[in-house]
Amino acid sequence: MRLSPQQTTLIKHHTADLFGPGAEVRLFGSRVDDTARGGDIDLLVTSPVPVARPALLPAQLASRLQLALGDQRIDVLLEAPNLLQLPIHRIAHAEGLLL
C-alpha cells in the first residue's frame, strides 16, 4: 500500500468525522500496488446507515483530504444501504485494503 501511516490516519479521521464512527474506508486502485508509481488515491467509503447527501459528503471528504494531504487527485466512492450497488463497488471490495 502506497500511503504513509500519517496519510492513513488523516483519511480515517476525516472519514469518521463526515460519515460517522461506523463508516469504513478502503483504499483501492493503483495505490494498493507497491510496485506501481504515481496514481490517484481511490477510496471506497462504506456507511452502515443511509446517507442523505450522497453527492455532497464524498466531495467534502475529497476536498478535506486534498487540503490535508496536498495537491493530489482523490476519488471517493460511496456505498450505503440506500444507494445502488455498482460493479465498481464489488471491485473495490475485492481488491481494496481496509484502512
Side-chain angles (χ1 to χ4, degrees), residues 61-98:
L61 179 59
S63 177
R64 283 187 183 192
L65 292 175
Q66 282 183 326
L67 289 172
L69 301 175
D71 189 26
Q72 300 184 50
R73 183 167 171 199
I74 300 170
D75 295 324
V76 179
L77 178 64
L78 178 59
E79 179 179 51
N82 62 317
L83 301 177
L84 183 65
Q85 178 102 12
L86 300 172
I88 189 65
H89 292 98
R90 288 187 290 282
I91 292 168
H93 273 283
E95 298 176 4
L97 298 174
L98 185 63

